[in-house]
PDB file of all heavy atoms in Angstrom:
ATOM      1  N   ASN A 118     112.364  81.784 116.198  1.00  0.00           N
ATOM      2  CA  ASN A 118     112.620  81.551 114.770  1.00  0.00           C
ATOM      3  C   ASN A 118     113.529  80.347 114.556  1.00  0.00           C
ATOM      4  O   ASN A 118     113.385  79.628 113.554  1.00  0.00           O
ATOM      5  CB  ASN A 118     113.227  82.803 114.136  1.00  0.00           C
ATOM      6  CG  ASN A 118     112.203  83.913 113.955  1.00  0.00           C
ATOM      7  OD1 ASN A 118     111.007  83.650 113.809  1.00  0.00           O
ATOM      8  ND2 ASN A 118     112.652  85.155 113.963  1.00  0.00           N
ATOM      9  N   LYS A 119     114.451  80.119 115.496  1.00  0.00           N
ATOM     10  CA  LYS A 119     115.347  78.967 115.380  1.00  0.00           C
ATOM     11  C   LYS A 119     114.560  77.659 115.487  1.00  0.00           C
ATOM     12  O   LYS A 119     114.794  76.719 114.720  1.00  0.00           O
ATOM     13  CB  LYS A 119     116.415  79.038 116.478  1.00  0.00           C
ATOM     14  CG  LYS A 119     117.501  77.982 116.351  1.00  0.00           C
ATOM     15  CD  LYS A 119     118.700  78.314 117.233  1.00  0.00           C
ATOM     16  CE  LYS A 119     118.367  78.148 118.696  1.00  0.00           C
ATOM     17  NZ  LYS A 119     119.548  78.357 119.570  1.00  0.00           N
ATOM     18  N   ILE A 120     113.610  77.613 116.422  1.00  0.00           N
ATOM     19  CA  ILE A 120     112.800  76.399 116.582  1.00  0.00           C
ATOM     20  C   ILE A 120     111.827  76.247 115.423  1.00  0.00           C
ATOM     21  O   ILE A 120     111.568  75.127 114.953  1.00  0.00           O
ATOM     22  CB  ILE A 120     112.060  76.427 117.934  1.00  0.00           C
ATOM     23  CG1 ILE A 120     113.078  76.409 119.071  1.00  0.00           C
ATOM     24  CG2 ILE A 120     111.113  75.233 118.061  1.00  0.00           C
ATOM     25  CD1 ILE A 120     112.495  76.571 120.450  1.00  0.00           C
ATOM     26  N   LEU A 121     111.285  77.362 114.919  1.00  0.00           N
ATOM     27  CA  LEU A 121     110.407  77.300 113.753  1.00  0.00           C
ATOM     28  C   LEU A 121     111.151  76.712 112.555  1.00  0.00           C
ATOM     29  O   LEU A 121     110.586  75.925 111.773  1.00  0.00           O
ATOM     30  CB  LEU A 121     109.875  78.693 113.402  1.00  0.00           C
ATOM     31  CG  LEU A 121     108.843  79.290 114.365  1.00  0.00           C
ATOM     32  CD1 LEU A 121     108.491  80.718 113.949  1.00  0.00           C
ATOM     33  CD2 LEU A 121     107.579  78.431 114.424  1.00  0.00           C
ATOM     34  N   LYS A 122     112.415  77.072 112.422  1.00  0.00           N
ATOM     35  CA  LYS A 122     113.227  76.517 111.335  1.00  0.00           C
ATOM     36  C   LYS A 122     113.460  75.028 111.553  1.00  0.00           C
ATOM     37  O   LYS A 122     113.425  74.233 110.602  1.00  0.00           O
ATOM     38  CB  LYS A 122     114.566  77.252 111.253  1.00  0.00           C
ATOM     39  CG  LYS A 122     115.421  76.817 110.069  1.00  0.00           C
ATOM     40  CD  LYS A 122     116.682  77.661 109.954  1.00  0.00           C
ATOM     41  CE  LYS A 122     117.498  77.253 108.723  1.00  0.00           C
ATOM     42  NZ  LYS A 122     118.723  78.088 108.584  1.00  0.00           N
ATOM     43  N   GLU A 123     113.650  74.645 112.818  1.00  0.00           N
ATOM     44  CA  GLU A 123     113.904  73.236 113.144  1.00  0.00           C
ATOM     45  C   GLU A 123     112.711  72.350 112.787  1.00  0.00           C
ATOM     46  O   GLU A 123     112.885  71.204 112.362  1.00  0.00           O
ATOM     47  CB  GLU A 123     114.227  73.110 114.633  1.00  0.00           C
ATOM     48  CG  GLU A 123     114.645  71.710 115.066  1.00  0.00           C
ATOM     49  CD  GLU A 123     115.044  71.643 116.534  1.00  0.00           C
ATOM     50  OE1 GLU A 123     115.343  72.700 117.118  1.00  0.00           O
ATOM     51  OE2 GLU A 123     115.047  70.531 117.081  1.00  0.00           O
ATOM     52  N   ILE A 124     111.488  72.880 112.942  1.00  0.00           N
ATOM     53  CA  ILE A 124     110.302  72.074 112.645  1.00  0.00           C
ATOM     54  C   ILE A 124     109.782  72.320 111.233  1.00  0.00           C
ATOM     55  O   ILE A 124     108.762  71.750 110.836  1.00  0.00           O
ATOM     56  CB  ILE A 124     109.174  72.342 113.675  1.00  0.00           C
ATOM     57  CG1 ILE A 124     108.675  73.792 113.581  1.00  0.00           C
ATOM     58  CG2 ILE A 124     109.634  72.005 115.073  1.00  0.00           C
ATOM     59  CD1 ILE A 124     107.480  74.084 114.471  1.00  0.00           C
ATOM     60  N   GLY A 125     110.479  73.172 110.463  1.00  0.00           N
ATOM     61  CA  GLY A 125     110.102  73.394 109.069  1.00  0.00           C
ATOM     62  C   GLY A 125     109.021  74.426 108.861  1.00  0.00           C
ATOM     63  O   GLY A 125     108.287  74.381 107.862  1.00  0.00           O
ATOM     64  N   ALA A 126     108.897  75.391 109.793  1.00  0.00           N
ATOM     65  CA  ALA A 126     107.851  76.414 109.680  1.00  0.00           C
ATOM     66  C   ALA A 126     108.430  77.809 109.462  1.00  0.00           C
ATOM     67  O   ALA A 126     107.730  78.811 109.651  1.00  0.00           O
ATOM     68  CB  ALA A 126     106.989  76.411 110.948  1.00  0.00           C
ATOM     69  N   ASP A 127     109.691  77.890 109.054  1.00  0.00           N
ATOM     70  CA  ASP A 127     110.361  79.189 108.940  1.00  0.00           C
ATOM     71  C   ASP A 127     109.968  79.972 107.690  1.00  0.00           C
ATOM     72  O   ASP A 127     110.278  81.159 107.585  1.00  0.00           O
ATOM     73  CB  ASP A 127     111.880  79.013 108.980  1.00  0.00           C
ATOM     74  CG  ASP A 127     112.378  78.029 107.935  1.00  0.00           C
ATOM     75  OD1 ASP A 127     111.729  76.979 107.750  1.00  0.00           O
ATOM     76  OD2 ASP A 127     113.420  78.285 107.301  1.00  0.00           O
ATOM     77  N   THR A 128     109.288  79.325 106.726  1.00  0.00           N
ATOM     78  CA  THR A 128     108.896  80.027 105.491  1.00  0.00           C
ATOM     79  C   THR A 128     107.457  80.529 105.540  1.00  0.00           C
ATOM     80  O   THR A 128     107.002  81.172 104.599  1.00  0.00           O
ATOM     81  CB  THR A 128     109.064  79.096 104.280  1.00  0.00           C
ATOM     82  OG1 THR A 128     108.245  77.930 104.459  1.00  0.00           O
ATOM     83  CG2 THR A 128     110.518  78.676 104.113  1.00  0.00           C
ATOM     84  N   ILE A 129     106.748  80.251 106.610  1.00  0.00           N
ATOM     85  CA  ILE A 129     105.350  80.694 106.729  1.00  0.00           C
ATOM     86  C   ILE A 129     105.322  82.183 107.078  1.00  0.00           C
ATOM     87  O   ILE A 129     106.054  82.634 107.961  1.00  0.00           O
ATOM     88  CB  ILE A 129     104.621  79.875 107.814  1.00  0.00           C
ATOM     89  CG1 ILE A 129     104.646  78.385 107.459  1.00  0.00           C
ATOM     90  CG2 ILE A 129     103.180  80.350 107.974  1.00  0.00           C
ATOM     91  CD1 ILE A 129     104.110  77.491 108.547  1.00  0.00           C
ATOM     92  N   PRO A 130     104.470  82.974 106.397  1.00  0.00           N
ATOM     93  CA  PRO A 130     104.390  84.420 106.685  1.00  0.00           C
ATOM     94  C   PRO A 130     104.057  84.686 108.154  1.00  0.00           C
ATOM     95  O   PRO A 130     103.237  83.981 108.746  1.00  0.00           O
ATOM     96  CB  PRO A 130     103.260  84.899 105.767  1.00  0.00           C
ATOM     97  CG  PRO A 130     103.180  83.878 104.678  1.00  0.00           C
ATOM     98  CD  PRO A 130     103.566  82.579 105.298  1.00  0.00           C
ATOM     99  N   GLN A 131     104.712  85.700 108.729  1.00  0.00           N
ATOM    100  CA  GLN A 131     104.495  86.058 110.128  1.00  0.00           C
ATOM    101  C   GLN A 131     103.964  87.478 110.259  1.00  0.00           C
ATOM    102  O   GLN A 131     104.322  88.359 109.480  1.00  0.00           O
ATOM    103  CB  GLN A 131     105.801  85.971 110.923  1.00  0.00           C
ATOM    104  CG  GLN A 131     106.376  84.592 111.114  1.00  0.00           C
ATOM    105  CD  GLN A 131     107.581  84.623 112.055  1.00  0.00           C
ATOM    106  OE1 GLN A 131     107.739  85.549 112.858  1.00  0.00           O
ATOM    107  NE2 GLN A 131     108.424  83.614 111.963  1.00  0.00           N
ATOM    108  N   VAL A 132     103.124  87.672 111.269  1.00  0.00           N
ATOM    109  CA  VAL A 132     102.768  89.010 111.734  1.00  0.00           C
ATOM    110  C   VAL A 132     103.319  89.121 113.149  1.00  0.00           C
ATOM    111  O   VAL A 132     102.966  88.326 114.025  1.00  0.00           O
ATOM    112  CB  VAL A 132     101.249  89.243 111.741  1.00  0.00           C
ATOM    113  CG1 VAL A 132     100.940  90.632 112.311  1.00  0.00           C
ATOM    114  CG2 VAL A 132     100.667  89.106 110.348  1.00  0.00           C
ATOM    115  N   LEU A 133     104.238  90.069 113.371  1.00  0.00           N
ATOM    116  CA  LEU A 133     104.843  90.235 114.694  1.00  0.00           C
ATOM    117  C   LEU A 133     103.896  91.031 115.592  1.00  0.00           C
ATOM    118  O   LEU A 133     103.478  92.141 115.247  1.00  0.00           O
ATOM    119  CB  LEU A 133     106.186  90.952 114.583  1.00  0.00           C
ATOM    120  CG  LEU A 133     107.268  90.249 113.754  1.00  0.00           C
ATOM    121  CD1 LEU A 133     108.555  91.072 113.773  1.00  0.00           C
ATOM    122  CD2 LEU A 133     107.536  88.845 114.273  1.00  0.00           C
ATOM    123  N   ILE A 134     103.538  90.442 116.733  1.00  0.00           N
ATOM    124  CA  ILE A 134     102.625  91.083 117.678  1.00  0.00           C
ATOM    125  C   ILE A 134     103.428  91.532 118.891  1.00  0.00           C
ATOM    126  O   ILE A 134     103.871  90.719 119.707  1.00  0.00           O
ATOM    127  CB  ILE A 134     101.516  90.112 118.133  1.00  0.00           C
ATOM    128  CG1 ILE A 134     100.848  89.429 116.930  1.00  0.00           C
ATOM    129  CG2 ILE A 134     100.498  90.841 118.998  1.00  0.00           C
ATOM    130  CD1 ILE A 134     100.030  90.338 116.076  1.00  0.00           C
ATOM    131  N   LEU A 135     103.662  92.843 119.007  1.00  0.00           N
ATOM    132  CA  LEU A 135     104.398  93.389 120.155  1.00  0.00           C
ATOM    133  C   LEU A 135     103.428  93.551 121.317  1.00  0.00           C
ATOM    134  O   LEU A 135     102.738  94.562 121.446  1.00  0.00           O
ATOM    135  CB  LEU A 135     105.048  94.723 119.785  1.00  0.00           C
ATOM    136  CG  LEU A 135     106.064  94.659 118.640  1.00  0.00           C
ATOM    137  CD1 LEU A 135     106.524  96.049 118.255  1.00  0.00           C
ATOM    138  CD2 LEU A 135     107.264  93.810 119.044  1.00  0.00           C
ATOM    139  N   ASN A 136     103.358  92.532 122.173  1.00  0.00           N
ATOM    140  CA  ASN A 136     102.378  92.476 123.250  1.00  0.00           C
ATOM    141  C   ASN A 136     102.896  93.149 124.530  1.00  0.00           C
ATOM    142  O   ASN A 136     104.075  93.447 124.654  1.00  0.00           O
ATOM    143  CB  ASN A 136     102.027  91.010 123.515  1.00  0.00           C
ATOM    144  CG  ASN A 136     100.814  90.858 124.414  1.00  0.00           C
ATOM    145  OD1 ASN A 136      99.942  91.725 124.456  1.00  0.00           O
ATOM    146  ND2 ASN A 136     100.752  89.764 125.142  1.00  0.00           N
ATOM    147  N   LYS A 137     101.985  93.367 125.448  1.00  0.00           N
ATOM    148  CA  LYS A 137     102.262  93.957 126.776  1.00  0.00           C
ATOM    149  C   LYS A 137     102.748  95.401 126.670  1.00  0.00           C
ATOM    150  O   LYS A 137     103.600  95.841 127.466  1.00  0.00           O
ATOM    151  CB  LYS A 137     103.281  93.106 127.550  1.00  0.00           C
ATOM    152  CG  LYS A 137     102.840  91.652 127.752  1.00  0.00           C
ATOM    153  CD  LYS A 137     103.773  90.888 128.661  1.00  0.00           C
ATOM    154  CE  LYS A 137     103.350  89.433 128.786  1.00  0.00           C
ATOM    155  NZ  LYS A 137     104.212  88.651 129.705  1.00  0.00           N
ATOM    156  N   ILE A 138     102.203  96.153 125.710  1.00  0.00           N
ATOM    157  CA  ILE A 138     102.599  97.556 125.576  1.00  0.00           C
ATOM    158  C   ILE A 138     102.069  98.399 126.736  1.00  0.00           C
ATOM    159  O   ILE A 138     102.512  99.528 126.940  1.00  0.00           O
ATOM    160  CB  ILE A 138     102.119  98.159 124.237  1.00  0.00           C
ATOM    161  CG1 ILE A 138     100.593  98.090 124.135  1.00  0.00           C
ATOM    162  CG2 ILE A 138     102.777  97.460 123.059  1.00  0.00           C
ATOM    163  CD1 ILE A 138     100.037  98.891 122.981  1.00  0.00           C
ATOM    164  N   ASP A 139     101.114  97.824 127.496  1.00  0.00           N
ATOM    165  CA  ASP A 139     100.610  98.542 128.674  1.00  0.00           C
ATOM    166  C   ASP A 139     101.666  98.627 129.777  1.00  0.00           C
ATOM    167  O   ASP A 139     101.522  99.425 130.711  1.00  0.00           O
ATOM    168  CB  ASP A 139      99.352  97.843 129.214  1.00  0.00           C
ATOM    169  CG  ASP A 139      99.568  96.354 129.448  1.00  0.00           C
ATOM    170  OD1 ASP A 139      99.879  95.654 128.467  1.00  0.00           O
ATOM    171  OD2 ASP A 139      99.444  95.904 130.602  1.00  0.00           O
ATOM    172  N   LEU A 140     102.733  97.820 129.648  1.00  0.00           N
ATOM    173  CA  LEU A 140     103.783  97.807 130.674  1.00  0.00           C
ATOM    174  C   LEU A 140     104.965  98.705 130.328  1.00  0.00           C
ATOM    175  O   LEU A 140     105.885  98.849 131.121  1.00  0.00           O
ATOM    176  CB  LEU A 140     104.290  96.377 130.887  1.00  0.00           C
ATOM    177  CG  LEU A 140     103.251  95.342 131.331  1.00  0.00           C
ATOM    178  CD1 LEU A 140     103.901  93.972 131.485  1.00  0.00           C
ATOM    179  CD2 LEU A 140     102.588  95.762 132.638  1.00  0.00           C
ATOM    180  N   ILE A 141     104.951  99.285 129.120  1.00  0.00           N
ATOM    181  CA  ILE A 141     106.078 100.128 128.708  1.00  0.00           C
ATOM    182  C   ILE A 141     105.565 101.439 128.135  1.00  0.00           C
ATOM    183  O   ILE A 141     104.399 101.565 127.766  1.00  0.00           O
ATOM    184  CB  ILE A 141     106.965  99.420 127.650  1.00  0.00           C
ATOM    185  CG1 ILE A 141     106.124  99.018 126.435  1.00  0.00           C
ATOM    186  CG2 ILE A 141     107.650  98.206 128.245  1.00  0.00           C
ATOM    187  CD1 ILE A 141     106.941  98.408 125.320  1.00  0.00           C
ATOM    188  N   ASP A 142     106.456 102.425 128.037  1.00  0.00           N
ATOM    189  CA  ASP A 142     106.133 103.734 127.477  1.00  0.00           C
ATOM    190  C   ASP A 142     106.717 103.813 126.069  1.00  0.00           C
ATOM    191  O   ASP A 142     107.925 103.972 125.890  1.00  0.00           O
ATOM    192  CB  ASP A 142     106.699 104.845 128.364  1.00  0.00           C
ATOM    193  CG  ASP A 142     106.346 106.233 127.830  1.00  0.00           C
ATOM    194  OD1 ASP A 142     105.415 106.322 126.999  1.00  0.00           O
ATOM    195  OD2 ASP A 142     107.009 107.204 128.246  1.00  0.00           O
ATOM    196  N   LEU A 143     105.853 103.704 125.055  1.00  0.00           N
ATOM    197  CA  LEU A 143     106.301 103.755 123.665  1.00  0.00           C
ATOM    198  C   LEU A 143     106.205 105.157 123.072  1.00  0.00           C
ATOM    199  O   LEU A 143     106.605 105.381 121.939  1.00  0.00           O
ATOM    200  CB  LEU A 143     105.481 102.779 122.811  1.00  0.00           C
ATOM    201  CG  LEU A 143     105.670 101.285 123.114  1.00  0.00           C
ATOM    202  CD1 LEU A 143     104.726 100.459 122.269  1.00  0.00           C
ATOM    203  CD2 LEU A 143     107.101 100.868 122.863  1.00  0.00           C
ATOM    204  N   GLY A 144     105.632 106.061 123.840  1.00  0.00           N
ATOM    205  CA  GLY A 144     105.475 107.422 123.317  1.00  0.00           C
ATOM    206  C   GLY A 144     104.193 107.557 122.515  1.00  0.00           C
ATOM    207  O   GLY A 144     103.598 106.582 122.058  1.00  0.00           O
ATOM    208  N   THR A 145     103.757 108.760 122.297  1.00  0.00           N
ATOM    209  CA  THR A 145     102.489 109.001 121.599  1.00  0.00           C
ATOM    210  C   THR A 145     102.625 108.923 120.084  1.00  0.00           C
ATOM    211  O   THR A 145     101.638 108.859 119.372  1.00  0.00           O
ATOM    212  CB  THR A 145     101.954 110.401 121.975  1.00  0.00           C
ATOM    213  OG1 THR A 145     102.962 111.385 121.663  1.00  0.00           O
ATOM    214  CG2 THR A 145     101.629 110.464 123.458  1.00  0.00           C
ATOM    215  N   THR A 146     103.869 108.933 119.578  1.00  0.00           N
ATOM    216  CA  THR A 146     104.058 108.942 118.120  1.00  0.00           C
ATOM    217  C   THR A 146     104.129 107.539 117.522  1.00  0.00           C
ATOM    218  O   THR A 146     104.159 107.389 116.313  1.00  0.00           O
ATOM    219  CB  THR A 146     105.355 109.697 117.770  1.00  0.00           C
ATOM    220  OG1 THR A 146     106.467 109.052 118.424  1.00  0.00           O
ATOM    221  CG2 THR A 146     105.263 111.142 118.230  1.00  0.00           C
ATOM    222  N   SER A 147     104.187 106.509 118.369  1.00  0.00           N
ATOM    223  CA  SER A 147     104.304 105.140 117.864  1.00  0.00           C
ATOM    224  C   SER A 147     103.036 104.720 117.137  1.00  0.00           C
ATOM    225  O   SER A 147     101.926 104.960 117.613  1.00  0.00           O
ATOM    226  CB  SER A 147     104.588 104.171 119.020  1.00  0.00           C
ATOM    227  OG  SER A 147     105.803 104.505 119.645  1.00  0.00           O
ATOM    228  N   LYS A 148     103.196 104.105 115.978  1.00  0.00           N
ATOM    229  CA  LYS A 148     102.061 103.654 115.190  1.00  0.00           C
ATOM    230  C   LYS A 148     101.504 102.360 115.761  1.00  0.00           C
ATOM    231  O   LYS A 148     102.223 101.550 116.331  1.00  0.00           O
ATOM    232  CB  LYS A 148     102.490 103.437 113.739  1.00  0.00           C
ATOM    233  CG  LYS A 148     102.900 104.704 113.011  1.00  0.00           C
ATOM    234  CD  LYS A 148     103.269 104.385 111.570  1.00  0.00           C
ATOM    235  CE  LYS A 148     103.666 105.646 110.813  1.00  0.00           C
ATOM    236  NZ  LYS A 148     104.050 105.351 109.411  1.00  0.00           N
ATOM    237  N   GLY A 149     100.190 102.169 115.540  1.00  0.00           N
ATOM    238  CA  GLY A 149      99.546 100.947 116.002  1.00  0.00           C
ATOM    239  C   GLY A 149      99.982  99.740 115.198  1.00  0.00           C
ATOM    240  O   GLY A 149     100.023  98.626 115.707  1.00  0.00           O
ATOM    241  N   CYS A 150     100.282  99.973 113.913  1.00  0.00           N
ATOM    242  CA  CYS A 150     100.748  98.867 113.080  1.00  0.00           C
ATOM    243  C   CYS A 150     101.693  99.387 111.997  1.00  0.00           C
ATOM    244  O   CYS A 150     101.698 100.571 111.682  1.00  0.00           O
ATOM    245  CB  CYS A 150      99.571  98.125 112.440  1.00  0.00           C
ATOM    246  SG  CYS A 150      98.722  99.038 111.136  1.00  0.00           S
ATOM    247  N   ILE A 151     102.484  98.483 111.456  1.00  0.00           N
ATOM    248  CA  ILE A 151     103.420  98.792 110.372  1.00  0.00           C
ATOM    249  C   ILE A 151     103.144  97.828 109.233  1.00  0.00           C
ATOM    250  O   ILE A 151     102.928  96.638 109.451  1.00  0.00           O
ATOM    251  CB  ILE A 151     104.881  98.670 110.848  1.00  0.00           C
ATOM    252  CG1 ILE A 151     105.177  99.689 111.940  1.00  0.00           C
ATOM    253  CG2 ILE A 151     105.855  98.837 109.685  1.00  0.00           C
ATOM    254  CD1 ILE A 151     106.562  99.564 112.545  1.00  0.00           C
ATOM    255  N   ARG A 152     103.161  98.375 108.000  1.00  0.00           N
ATOM    256  CA  ARG A 152     102.947  97.538 106.827  1.00  0.00           C
ATOM    257  C   ARG A 152     104.258  97.336 106.080  1.00  0.00           C
ATOM    258  O   ARG A 152     105.138  98.187 106.122  1.00  0.00           O
ATOM    259  CB  ARG A 152     101.904  98.166 105.904  1.00  0.00           C
ATOM    260  CG  ARG A 152     100.494  98.196 106.506  1.00  0.00           C
ATOM    261  CD  ARG A 152      99.470  98.809 105.560  1.00  0.00           C
ATOM    262  NE  ARG A 152      98.134  98.767 106.120  1.00  0.00           N
ATOM    263  CZ  ARG A 152      97.284  97.755 105.973  1.00  0.00           C
ATOM    264  NH1 ARG A 152      97.642  96.704 105.240  1.00  0.00           N
ATOM    265  NH2 ARG A 152      96.080  97.786 106.511  1.00  0.00           N
ATOM    266  N   ASP A 153     104.344  96.193 105.388  1.00  0.00           N
ATOM    267  CA  ASP A 153     105.560  95.900 104.628  1.00  0.00           C
ATOM    268  C   ASP A 153     105.456  96.486 103.220  1.00  0.00           C
ATOM    269  O   ASP A 153     104.507  97.219 102.902  1.00  0.00           O
ATOM    270  CB  ASP A 153     105.820  94.389 104.582  1.00  0.00           C
ATOM    271  CG  ASP A 153     104.680  93.618 103.921  1.00  0.00           C
ATOM    272  OD1 ASP A 153     103.860  94.229 103.212  1.00  0.00           O
ATOM    273  OD2 ASP A 153     104.617  92.383 104.106  1.00  0.00           O
ATOM    274  N   GLU A 154     106.424  96.142 102.344  1.00  0.00           N
ATOM    275  CA  GLU A 154     106.453  96.703 100.990  1.00  0.00           C
ATOM    276  C   GLU A 154     105.299  96.228 100.118  1.00  0.00           C
ATOM    277  O   GLU A 154     105.010  96.817  99.074  1.00  0.00           O
ATOM    278  CB  GLU A 154     107.792  96.374 100.313  1.00  0.00           C
ATOM    279  CG  GLU A 154     108.062  94.887 100.087  1.00  0.00           C
ATOM    280  CD  GLU A 154     108.793  94.252 101.269  1.00  0.00           C
ATOM    281  OE1 GLU A 154     108.654  94.762 102.398  1.00  0.00           O
ATOM    282  OE2 GLU A 154     109.498  93.250 101.039  1.00  0.00           O
ATOM    283  N   TYR A 155     104.613  95.149 100.565  1.00  0.00           N
ATOM    284  CA  TYR A 155     103.457  94.642  99.816  1.00  0.00           C
ATOM    285  C   TYR A 155     102.139  95.142 100.412  1.00  0.00           C
ATOM    286  O   TYR A 155     101.071  94.644 100.068  1.00  0.00           O
ATOM    287  CB  TYR A 155     103.466  93.114  99.804  1.00  0.00           C
ATOM    288  CG  TYR A 155     104.726  92.532  99.215  1.00  0.00           C
ATOM    289  CD1 TYR A 155     105.701  91.974 100.043  1.00  0.00           C
ATOM    290  CD2 TYR A 155     104.956  92.549  97.846  1.00  0.00           C
ATOM    291  CE1 TYR A 155     106.876  91.447  99.517  1.00  0.00           C
ATOM    292  CE2 TYR A 155     106.127  92.022  97.311  1.00  0.00           C
ATOM    293  CZ  TYR A 155     107.080  91.476  98.148  1.00  0.00           C
ATOM    294  OH  TYR A 155     108.247  90.955  97.622  1.00  0.00           O
ATOM    295  N   ASP A 156     102.251  96.108 101.326  1.00  0.00           N
ATOM    296  CA  ASP A 156     101.098  96.719 102.002  1.00  0.00           C
ATOM    297  C   ASP A 156     100.369  95.734 102.912  1.00  0.00           C
ATOM    298  O   ASP A 156      99.188  95.897 103.200  1.00  0.00           O
ATOM    299  CB  ASP A 156     100.114  97.318 100.986  1.00  0.00           C
ATOM    300  CG  ASP A 156      99.199  98.354 101.642  1.00  0.00           C
ATOM    301  OD1 ASP A 156      99.661  99.061 102.564  1.00  0.00           O
ATOM    302  OD2 ASP A 156      98.015  98.440 101.261  1.00  0.00           O
ATOM    303  N   ARG A 157     101.071  94.687 103.366  1.00  0.00           N
ATOM    304  CA  ARG A 157     100.490  93.768 104.340  1.00  0.00           C
ATOM    305  C   ARG A 157     100.883  94.223 105.744  1.00  0.00           C
ATOM    306  O   ARG A 157     101.988  94.718 105.952  1.00  0.00           O
ATOM    307  CB  ARG A 157     101.016  92.342 104.135  1.00  0.00           C
ATOM    308  CG  ARG A 157     100.722  91.724 102.786  1.00  0.00           C
ATOM    309  CD  ARG A 157     101.088  90.242 102.832  1.00  0.00           C
ATOM    310  NE  ARG A 157     101.055  89.638 101.510  1.00  0.00           N
ATOM    311  CZ  ARG A 157     102.129  89.358 100.788  1.00  0.00           C
ATOM    312  NH1 ARG A 157     103.334  89.649 101.251  1.00  0.00           N
ATOM    313  NH2 ARG A 157     102.017  88.788  99.593  1.00  0.00           N
TER     314      ARG A 157
END
């Protein structure tokens, strides 16, 4: 995010992709995705 701000891309909408979940144990209750207050 610091470098994105440096190049002027800090205001662009982001979708956070939590990758490599096959390497960790998140439990069975973890949701596949989370939506924000605008339902995105």
Side-chain angles (χ1 to χ4, degrees):
N118 287 332
K119 187 166 70 175
I120 296 174
L121 289 176
K122 185 175 183 179
E123 186 176 341
I124 65 174
D127 54 318
T128 59
I129 300 173
Q131 292 187 22
V132 177
L133 299 182
I134 310 291
L135 299 174
N136 192 27
K137 302 187 183 182
I138 60 169
D139 52 299
L140 301 179
I141 57 176
D142 182 17
L143 293 176
T145 56
T146 59
S147 299
K148 294 182 179 179
C150 71
I151 297 175
R152 293 181 177 271
D153 60 18
E154 64 270 26
Y155 302 105
D156 200 34
R157 300 190 190 103

